[in-house]
Amino acid sequence: MKNAAFTIIFLFSFGFSIFAQSGTVSSIKIISRESGLGENSQSKLFIKQKKGVFYADGRKIDAKLVDNLLEALNDTGRKINLADYGITQEWLNANAEKSLPQYLQKSAPNEKDLFLKHFRDIKFIEEKILYEVLFDWWTDDYPSVELKIVKKDNSKIELNSSAQTDFMLPWKLVENEKNYSFANPRLSRAVADLLPQKFTNKERLSGKNLAPQMAREIYNKIEAQLEELETQNKIGAELARIKDRYTVRKTAISGISSIDTGTPSSAYQSGDAEYQKWNFLSWNAELKRNDLPANVIIGVSLPYKEGKLSTFDAFLGNIDAIISRALSVEWLGKYIAENPETELEIRFVGDRSFSPKAQESFLEDLKVFGANALNAEILNQLEKCVFLQVSEKGSKWSRWLILPDKRMILWQVNGDSALKWKPADFETRNMYKTKDWFQMKAIILPNGEIESR
């Protein structure tokens, strides 16, 4: 459980004590910068005390704001709690509806309710969300804030932060040649209160965007649950037809583009009618079946259009024969049985295993091997191929085609092995100038011997 943000105790003491009276302060200097992909910016604020009144750029600064800053600096030896970040049950209730992500606003009521339930759950926020929001993610800019306070007796304190997240925690203090880091959102909010509008990083220091950032992290945490609800809402009738035979391991109604899903480039070139045929959302899922080995997965991507899965019956009618061909390759079935940590995913996309998008990708890859890389007899059977993706230990994977006669074509390998072989056993081409991703055209006989390298 990442809950460190709420158990940090301030273990240092400042070089000057009882530093909580604004009258003892001579000046406060704040420099804030931001750089990165957007427009770079820098702001400076110099607050000076004159006869008990604080001024900055000709305007008066409320002494109470300076007192708040000093009190936050002296707030040591105490745990930080949610209220220090401005998070209370009342705040969560008030911000839940307003923070509903745009992509959920048109969702079914039970999907919205699931998100709102988690946003309003203060224990869930404390234990699962806030640490990630404040300390464990990265932005594409580079902010910094420097704070220097000088007392009338010339003692001073200097702090800085270059944290990217809301409140810019932790702060860093250099005192007596030692570095200290501490997470005090009260200090961040006190600094922000001193700053004029549009001052660089003011909103970040104040935590103004905390609610939408929390919403993003909550969505990430419960995305799988939301996808399950959406799937049930949209294709519950189809799921009911397979529930006795299949278990859904992963599911989503989504638009994705990968090696075998999405719109083939040829469709873009064939006019609007052909493009519309392929331009759809799909049910993308991983299924397990109770009559198959535990390490055999069925990966499906079935078009979802006009409120239904247009090829669901094709899936039910063809998947048994596809599975049978894959597992009847003797050497492959034996390897999968003897290596339970290796996962075999049998693909079914649209109305077949080896989709038009996958065929297009495969034929494009073949070009690097020159003309006649595979003979016409094999190429004419591609539509009838079974497409497999095999995942091994160490994030290694390989892609295979099974021909109708049970010969197999090794297509791509990522890593240093492909089931019983290594890339060096075959003629290869490196993909995308990488050192561990290869494309191939090797053919393996049904008995496991290499027919062509």
Side-chain angles (χ1 to χ4, degrees):
M1 181 184 300
K2 290 183 177 178
N3 200 20
F6 316 115
T7 57
I8 294 176
I9 306 293
F10 305 145
L11 298 177
F12 63 88
S13 59
F14 296 116
F16 42 89
S17 58
I18 319 298
F19 192 29
Q21 295 295 322
S22 59
T24 65
V25 173
S26 174
S27 65
I28 301 173
K29 184 177 182 180
I30 302 172
I31 302 175
S32 186
R33 302 180 179 89
E34 184 180 22
S35 62
L37 295 180
E39 183 177 347
N40 296 346
S41 64
Q42 175 177 284
S43 299
K44 296 182 180 180
L45 181 69
F46 186 69
I47 301 173
K48 185 77 175 176
Q49 183 183 171
K50 295 180 180 178
K51 298 180 179 179
V53 180
F54 290 94
Y55 295 91
D57 299 325
R59 65 184 179 91
K60 287 185 178 180
I61 301 294
D62 188 346
K64 178 60 178 174
L65 298 179
V66 178
D67 281 329
N68 290 343
L69 175 65
L70 303 180
E71 289 170 3
L73 283 167
N74 278 291
D75 189 10
T76 62
R78 180 180 64 82
K79 283 185 179 181
I80 297 298
N81 55 49
L82 288 182
D84 292 313
Y85 296 91
I87 299 175
T88 62
Q89 189 62 61
E90 292 72 24
W91 183 88
L92 293 173
N93 293 342
N95 282 277
E97 291 276 359
K98 294 184 291 186
S99 301
L100 189 71
Q102 185 175 2
Y103 31 82
L104 282 178
Q105 290 176 5
K106 294 183 180 180
S107 297
N110 59 350
E111 297 170 45
K112 295 179 183 178
D113 289 344
L114 180 66
F115 173 87
L116 296 173
K117 172 187 174 183
H118 283 83
F119 194 100
R120 293 171 178 141
D121 185 340
I122 196 165
K123 185 176 181 181
F124 174 77
I125 297 301
E126 180 175 17
E127 295 182 353
K128 302 294 185 181
I129 298 300
L130 200 56
Y131 183 92
E132 281 79 358
V133 169
L134 297 178
F135 298 97
D136 201 30
W137 67 288
W138 179 85
T139 65
D140 58 7
D141 64 345
Y142 300 93
S144 66
V145 176
E146 299 171 12
L147 172 66
K148 182 178 181 179
I149 304 173
V150 179
K151 278 186 70 174
K152 290 183 177 179
D153 63 4
N154 289 324
S155 58
K156 61 185 179 181
I157 181 173
E158 296 184 59
L159 303 102
N160 65 79
S161 173
S162 57
Q164 297 173 310
T165 52
D166 282 322
F167 301 108
M168 297 188 69
L169 301 174
W171 287 91
K172 297 179 181 179
L173 165 75
V174 178
E175 184 185 54
N176 297 327
E177 299 183 353
K178 293 183 179 180
N179 291 295
Y180 302 92
S181 293
F182 60 101
N184 186 346
R186 285 190 61 202
L187 173 58
S188 302
R189 296 165 73 187
V191 172
D193 288 342
L194 286 168
L195 305 177
Q197 297 300 316
K198 298 184 178 180
F199 195 91
T200 300
N201 294 315
K202 176 181 173 70
E203 290 188 357
R204 196 186 307 243
L205 284 163
S206 69
K208 181 178 179 179
N209 295 315
L210 181 60
Q213 299 293 1
M214 282 173 43
R216 182 206 70 243
E217 188 63 33
I218 291 169
Y219 182 88
N220 291 340
K221 280 282 191 298
I222 65 171
E223 184 175 10
Q225 298 176 61
L226 288 167
E227 289 174 338
E228 287 177 13
L229 276 180
E230 181 186 28
T231 304
Q232 188 64 46
N233 289 334
K234 290 183 174 179
I235 60 168
E238 288 90 341
L239 293 178
R241 293 174 63 185
I242 64 172
K243 66 180 180 65
D244 293 333
R245 198 177 188 195
Y246 293 87
T247 300
V248 179
R249 185 172 79 165
K250 186 177 181 180
T251 181
I253 302 290
S254 59
I256 62 172
S257 182
S258 68
I259 195 74
D260 68 341
T261 64
T263 307
S265 60
S266 59
Y268 292 101
Q269 303 164 8
S270 303
D272 186 65
E274 181 67 12
Y275 174 72
Q276 288 299 326
K277 174 183 175 182
W278 292 98
N279 187 27
F280 42 54
L281 294 173
S282 295
W283 176 43
N284 297 293
E286 294 178 1
L287 308 178
K288 300 192 74 171
R289 214 164 81 174
N290 52 26
D291 61 337
L292 297 178
N295 56 339
V296 174
I297 306 300
I298 303 168
V300 302
S301 183
L302 308 184
Y304 176 79
K305 209 167 188 180
E306 298 178 351
K308 63 180 181 179
L309 299 179
S310 58
T311 63
F312 188 72
D313 287 335
F315 166 72
L316 293 182
N318 294 310
I319 191 61
D320 284 350
I322 290 171
I323 293 171
S324 177
R325 192 197 307 173
L327 298 185
S328 65
V329 177
E330 184 177 352
W331 73 263
L332 178 63
K334 182 179 179 181
Y335 187 93
I336 292 300
E338 294 175 350
N339 295 272
E341 74 284 354
T342 296
E343 185 171 276
L344 176 70
E345 180 179 351
I346 302 170
R347 297 289 294 161
F348 191 97
V349 176
D351 60 358
R352 67 193 72 170
S353 181
F354 196 42
S355 71
K357 175 71 177 295
Q359 290 182 53
E360 186 177 75
S361 302
F362 177 69
L363 292 173
E364 185 66 28
D365 279 1
L366 277 184
K367 291 179 182 180
V368 302
F369 293 100
N372 303 315
L374 289 176
N375 63 45
E377 178 258 338
I378 289 178
L379 296 178
N380 289 335
Q381 300 182 68
L382 290 182
E383 287 189 9
K384 300 177 181 179
C385 283
V386 173
F387 179 31
L388 308 176
Q389 179 154 311
V390 178
S391 300
E392 302 181 61
K393 283 184 177 180
S395 301
K396 297 179 288 189
W397 54 262
S398 54
R399 289 170 173 154
W400 300 76
L401 310 181
I402 304 179
L403 294 162
D405 62 7
K406 300 183 183 179
R407 285 181 296 169
M408 293 181 62
I409 301 174
L410 177 54
W411 174 13
Q412 291 185 3
V413 174
N414 189 288
D416 60 5
S417 67
L419 298 177
K420 302 197 300 180
W421 298 277
K422 297 184 178 300
D425 294 329
F426 307 102
E427 180 183 357
T428 65
R429 298 289 187 274
N430 289 81
M431 298 194 67
Y432 308 116
K433 298 181 180 180
T434 63
K435 296 182 179 180
D436 58 359
W437 189 353
F438 309 94
Q439 58 194 80
M440 305 172 181
K441 58 177 181 60
I443 299 176
I444 310 298
L445 292 170
N447 64 6
E449 295 180 1
I450 298 174
E451 176 182 287
S452 171
R453 297 182 186 274

